[in-house]
Amino acid sequence: MILELDCYRSLLESTKNLVYVDYLTIAPWNRRSIENPPMYKSVGSSLLKLAIEHSFDLDYKGRIDLHSLPGAENFHRKFGMVDLGYDSNK
């Protein structure tokens, strides 16, 4: 996971900073489609929770942002993330 900590503002609250998750992935052999059951569970969830914790540590109130790959939207919705649509800049 790669986090950008000081560069982004919220699209929902333009005066508020947030933590941007620039890159988040798990090892391919830990994906259910390859290894069922996976060797380790909840790795992606743990990484996303860490990003949220960083946001709280920076007094950003848990605000994070990321651009989801197709097929990962439902995973992010489990964390209460909102789909703001396609971003031509990413």
Side-chain angles (χ1 to χ4, degrees), residues 1-89:
M1 178 171 66
I2 298 173
L3 301 177
E4 299 283 341
L5 303 178
D6 261 343
C7 305
Y8 289 88
R9 299 239 183 219
S10 171
L11 292 176
L12 298 175
E13 300 175 84
S14 62
T15 62
K16 307 289 183 174
N17 288 340
L18 53 76
V19 169
Y20 182 75
V21 180
D22 195 31
Y23 187 79
L24 183 142
T25 189
I26 62 170
W29 57 85
N30 202 46
R31 298 175 193 266
R32 286 194 199 296
S33 61
I34 295 172
E35 184 74 26
N36 197 1
M39 185 179 296
Y40 303 101
K41 292 184 180 182
S42 303
V43 174
S45 297
S46 296
L47 290 170
L48 201 53
K49 288 175 187 176
L50 182 65
I52 294 167
E53 286 178 25
H54 272 301
S55 177
F56 279 110
D57 290 345
L58 293 167
D59 202 27
Y60 295 170
K61 311 288 190 237
R63 286 184 300 275
I64 66 169
D65 186 14
L66 57 81
H67 288 81
S68 179
L69 292 173
E73 294 93 346
N74 288 334
F75 170 76
H76 297 116
R77 282 190 193 100
K78 292 178 189 177
F79 288 87
M81 298 185 84
V82 177
D83 185 348
L84 298 176
Y86 180 76
D87 183 348
S88 62
N89 294 321

